[in-house]
Amino acid sequence: MSTRPRLALAALLVASTARAQQPGVDVQAYHFRIDLPDTGNAIRGWASVFFDTQRGYDDTLRLDLVGMTVDRVVGMRTLRGVPFSHDGRVLKIATRGLRGAPLGVMVEYHGRPSDGLIYNAGNARGRRSFFADNWPNRARYWLPTVDHPSDKARVLWSVRAPRGWRVVTNAPQCRPEAGVLQAGTGGRGRSCLESAPIPTYTMVLGATPMTVSRHRAALSGSDSIPIEVWAYPEDSAFADSVPFRRATEIVETLSRMVGPFPYAKLAHVQSSTRYGGMENATAIFYAERSYVRRTMGEGVVRHETAHQWFGDAVTEADWHHLWLSEGFATYFDLVVGAALDGDSVLARGLRSNAESYIQSNVVNRPIIDTAVTDPNEMLNDNSYQKGGWVLHMLRRTVGDSAFFGGLRDYYRSYRDSSVLSAQLERKVEAAAGTDLGWFFRQWLRQPGYPRLDARVESDSAARRATLRVRQVQPAAWGAFRIDRLPVSLEGAGCVGVRGEIALAPVRGDQSFMLPVAAGCVPSGVRVDPDGDWLVRQT
């Protein structure tokens, strides 16, 4: 296949708000033509890259491309060859002579991907398949890209696959495209454009014989979002009736809480992936074995669906802020579960996440851990479990109205962009009308959590109790502030006697006075009786 991508794509591009990883380059869109073979795993690709240049650009476009062979590079407007060099990892393209805005080049290449595009000679049901699995920076093994989440772009897919296969990509907006065989038909194919900019780690295709079922479309604002379930034929009935039974309701619940669904469709896809689920924009991939074993539940669906808002639409600009993706998905899995099945879902999930984090090997490290450079090492209890807890404690600190109001503004302002934690902080501060710098510093940049030694002394004549609280966590964790920490008194006649204390970020004794009812003889105190804070009482 050698037909060049349509130049009309350039007319669909608008400026991106993402911060480019390569200085002076902001990729606007990719058009990928991928030719999947009838046998083996050697692919041919044609990748058109449209980009804007900014201050600092040195007339060389650098694209990540590992292990593939580059055949030629041409300018999109002239179709003339462009000088390039490729060392097997980075493709450098000289663009001095290119004209137009945005600039465009087409890379023709071929090879057998060693990663990123996963080939199975026999998947869980014994059939050949190709599934992309790009996270965190593995798109470069089969797609020439600026492979970093800070530079999001639109993506247009044209795919030729073996007869009888179905092909799923990110893109729902399709138009007939000459010269591309549509999977399974032997006729003309379609080119499909995802019109919203997305990170490269979510730009995917999947191809194998599959069954597609269509669930009730989700109502999201004024939009109707098609919901599809793609599964191997043997697993389709299970997928529809168990994990994806409420796929539509999950989208609608998140839309009410956060804002409109960010894309034009959502497909849930059985696939080959090294993860339990992968939040590819508009086309979530789930590990095939959990279908075959019938162990897949709804929790992973809630988690990955939440990523469409947080991670895909609003993306971390730096891997060290991964909690903006994984912490959000971990928390909203529980929040949506509570909305659908009751508050006990949230309470149980928080307890489980707290225990997982406290027993983890990252408790002595902060969430934003700049000493770690491998994104895979950031897939830990700090980004997931503690990240989710940070959101819950933020909610308890500012209240539901400011919390959800701030998140809705955060999503509305930074949708289709890449962000850092400071942007979230500013939006919630504005909604709450208070400074939250202390909150974000201690929970994101300090390791650990408060461990509290709490004692009570009673004065029955004065009908009051004195609480003495000391923070006893390791000194390396620092001290913590909690403005409204609930406590309850234990002892004869003290059932229901509760109060709140303002825990200051100091390590010495802190004293608090609580009124007690007649007949209450306190013998102990319980800190955080409702389990709303990531604290432990010694």
Side-chain angles (χ1 to χ4, degrees), residues 444-502:
L444 298 182
R445 299 186 182 276
Q446 290 179 210
Y449 57 93
R451 291 180 181 170
L452 304 179
D453 175 43
R455 304 176 304 280
V456 62
E457 301 169 1
S458 64
D459 185 341
S460 56
R463 295 176 60 179
R464 67 184 183 189
T466 300
L467 303 185
R468 303 195 187 279
V469 180
R470 174 186 289 267
Q471 299 193 36
V472 296
Q473 65 270 10
W477 294 3
F480 293 84
R481 167 183 167 183
I482 301 176
D483 287 349
R484 299 178 61 186
L485 180 61
V487 295
S488 62
L489 297 181
E490 299 175 333
C494 296
V495 175
V497 178
R498 298 170 61 105
E500 288 183 340
I501 63 175

Side-chain angles (χ1 to χ4, degrees), residues 244-258:
F244 302 109
R245 175 176 60 93
R246 297 189 296 187
T248 298
E249 288 83 351
I250 292 169
V251 171
E252 292 176 333
T253 301
L254 281 159
S255 296
R256 289 192 297 270
M257 289 180 176
V258 180

Side-chain angles (χ1 to χ4, degrees), residues 315-348:
T315 305
E316 65 283 358
D318 184 284
W319 291 121
H320 294 107
H321 296 253
L322 182 62
W323 83 280
L324 293 173
S325 176
E326 297 302 347
F328 269 85
T330 298
Y331 187 54
F332 275 90
D333 162 17
L334 303 179
V335 172
V336 172
L340 295 175
D341 294 321
D343 290 343
S344 62
V345 175
L346 178 60
R348 284 197 310 271

Side-chain angles (χ1 to χ4, degrees), residues 262-470:
Y263 308 112
K265 62 93 173 174
L266 180 60
H268 299 280
V269 184
Q270 184 178 9
S271 74
S272 300
T273 172
R274 66 172 59 172
Y275 309 104
M278 182 56 223
E279 63 270 18
N280 311 306
T282 84
I284 302 171
F285 286 4
Y286 302 88
E288 59 186 3
R289 291 291 178 185
S290 61
Y291 293 69
V292 175
R293 296 167 180 160
R294 303 297 191 256
T295 57
M296 186 178 178
E298 186 182 90
V300 66
V301 181
R302 298 193 302 259
H303 180 106
E304 302 303 335
T305 303
H307 269 307
Q308 301 296 298
W309 283 261
F310 302 112
D312 295 359
V314 182
T315 305
E316 65 283 358
D318 184 284
W319 291 121
H320 294 107
H321 296 253
L322 182 62
W323 83 280
L324 293 173
S325 176
E326 297 302 347
F328 269 85
T330 298
Y331 187 54
F332 275 90
D333 162 17
L334 303 179
V335 172
V336 172
L340 295 175
D341 294 321
D343 290 343
S344 62
V345 175
L346 178 60
R348 284 197 310 271
L350 288 171
R351 285 196 301 271
S352 175
N353 288 345
E355 291 307 313
S356 177
Y357 165 69
I358 288 170
Q359 296 172 23
S360 74
N361 62 358
V362 294
V363 71
N364 290 312
R365 307 196 68 88
I367 287 180
I368 299 178
D369 189 354
T370 56
V372 176
T373 57
D374 181 355
N376 288 288
E377 294 182 18
M378 300 173 198
L379 296 177
N380 57 40
D381 286 74
N382 267 331
S383 297
Y384 287 77
Q385 284 81 358
K386 187 177 181 181
W389 261 102
V390 169
L391 290 171
H392 185 70
M393 293 185 292
L394 180 62
R395 180 180 176 183
R396 288 293 178 254
T397 297
V398 302
D400 277 9
S401 178
F403 177 76
F404 284 104
L407 288 194
R408 284 190 285 269
D409 190 21
Y410 169 74
Y411 172 68
R412 181 170 54 249
S413 298
Y414 301 117
R415 176 175 165 176
D416 300 332
S417 302
S418 297
V419 299
L420 300 174
S421 300
Q423 276 112 323
L424 172 65
E425 177 184 333
R426 287 195 291 268
K427 291 300 182 182
V428 181
E429 281 182 335
T434 187
D435 171 65
L436 293 169
W438 62 271
F439 178 93
F440 283 86
R441 281 192 300 274
Q442 74 178 20
W443 291 113
L444 298 182
R445 299 186 182 276
Q446 290 179 210
Y449 57 93
R451 291 180 181 170
L452 304 179
D453 175 43
R455 304 176 304 280
V456 62
E457 301 169 1
S458 64
D459 185 341
S460 56
R463 295 176 60 179
R464 67 184 183 189
T466 300
L467 303 185
R468 303 195 187 279
V469 180
R470 174 186 289 267

